[in-house]
Amino acid sequence: NAGVTQTPKFRVLKTGQSMTLLCAQDMNHEYMYWYRQDPGMGLRLIHYSVGEGTTAKGEVPDGYNVSRLKKQNFLLGLESAAPSQTSVYFCASSKHRVATLGSSSTDTQYFGPGTRLTVL
Amino acid sequence: SQQGEEDPQALSIQEGENATMNCSYKTSINNLQWYRQNSGRGLVHLILIRSNEREKHSGRLRVTLDTSKKSSSLLITASRAADTASYFCASMNTGFQKLVFGTGTRLLVSP
């Protein structure tokens, strides 16, 4: 059981280049998330998905696109990288939220190890 | 910004002492969670407290929640050098879909 994995671990891009970050989870989780972490700012949500084939914008979605074609994978794309996108990117997943309030343990998010991206 | 805030930003203590971190959030919540992040690693879930709970314990961790003040605190008792990490609170909004993270507290526990 690998949990949440991210590929690649490190990447250096030049301004204007594109790339895709891959997140994979083997826990059969419905919900998946992409965050970026910058010094002194904690984690900020970029995009998220509540199920296969669905995506939604988070707090800082501009400049990013996502796809969730398979339940276990959540891809984050940068079409034209900018220096402001230099950051550490974390993927996370959580179980499907059931209707009853007694299941709040499903809200726990499991994080990947992160991808350190530098845009020159 | 929806981000919550944590206080202090950094905390330095000796092994055996207690560490207290505070968190404030902005919206109505269903639950509040605390996560730990070791340097260069992903976040790991520590404890979750629901909006109808006021206090919760897990091992050396004690979490309180005051929804009237939109605040929470994390107490780590009898700290160890291995507790050195950054600690983040995260509030789950009443829509149940998103966590909003605080800015984090960097804890340094010296032997």
Side-chain angles (χ1 to χ4, degrees), chain B:
Chain B
S1 170
Q2 299 178 35
Q3 273 197 307
E5 293 186 2
E6 290 183 59
D7 166 56
Q9 289 186 337
L11 180 61
S12 183
I13 59 175
Q14 300 289 319
E15 266 190 330
E17 294 180 339
N18 295 341
T20 299
M21 292 159 254
N22 303 297
C23 162
S24 62
Y25 57 90
K26 298 183 179 180
T27 64
S28 295
I29 63 170
N30 173 267
N31 62 69
L32 187 134
Q33 305 175 35
W34 285 87
Y35 287 79
R36 166 191 168 130
Q37 183 182 33
N38 286 83
S39 181
R41 307 291 292 273
L43 278 72
V44 175
H45 180 263
L46 293 176
I47 191 167
L48 179 152
I49 185 166
R50 300 176 191 175
S51 60
N52 61 352
E53 297 176 316
R54 291 296 167 258
E55 187 170 312
K56 198 162 184 180
H57 297 254
S58 176
R60 293 185 296 113
L61 304 180
R62 172 177 169 256
V63 169
T64 62
L65 180 65
D66 187 335
T67 54
S68 67
K69 295 181 179 178
K70 290 187 168 59
S71 67
S72 175
S73 68
L74 172 68
L75 169 67
I76 303 174
T77 60
S79 62
R80 306 165 181 167
D83 294 329
T84 294
S86 291
Y87 292 82
F88 294 88
C89 68
S91 55
M92 171 65 75
N93 63 13
T94 49
F96 299 121
Q97 291 186 342
K98 296 181 289 185
L99 280 177
V100 178
F101 284 83
T103 50
T105 293
R106 292 190 314 277
L107 174 65
L108 173 63
V109 182
S110 302

Side-chain angles (χ1 to χ4, degrees), chain A residues 37 41 48 97 104 107 109, chain B residues 3 31 35 37 50 96:
Chain A
Q37 184 177 33
M41 298 193 71
Y48 64 103
R97 161 149 278 285
S104 57
D107 292 336
Q109 293 190 9
Chain B
Q3 273 197 307
N31 62 69
Y35 287 79
Q37 183 182 33
R50 300 176 191 175
F96 299 121

Side-chain angles (χ1 to χ4, degrees), chain A residues 30-33 47-56 68 74:
Chain A
E30 287 290 339
Y31 289 16
M32 296 187 75
Y33 310 82
H47 285 281
Y48 64 103
S49 168
V50 299
E52 182 179 321
T54 72
T55 63
R68 184 96 181 268
F74 195 28

Side-chain angles (χ1 to χ4, degrees), chain A residues 26-102:
Chain A
D26 60 3
M27 296 174 284
N28 201 34
H29 285 173
E30 287 290 339
Y31 289 16
M32 296 187 75
Y33 310 82
W34 275 107
Y35 296 92
R36 60 178 288 173
Q37 184 177 33
D38 301 292
M41 298 193 71
L43 275 78
R44 292 182 292 169
L45 183 64
I46 304 172
H47 285 281
Y48 64 103
S49 168
V50 299
E52 182 179 321
T54 72
T55 63
K57 293 181 180 180
E59 186 184 359
V60 288
D62 293 342
Y64 305 94
N65 57 74
V66 288
S67 64
R68 184 96 181 268
L69 298 180
K70 293 183 179 180
K71 185 177 182 178
Q72 63 268 34
N73 296 336
F74 195 28
L75 279 64
L76 177 70
L78 286 74
E79 289 189 349
S80 180
S84 61
Q85 294 178 304
T86 293
S87 188
V88 182
Y89 291 85
F90 288 99
C91 176
S93 69
S94 63
K95 289 180 184 178
H96 177 61
R97 161 149 278 285
V98 296
T100 57
L101 291 178

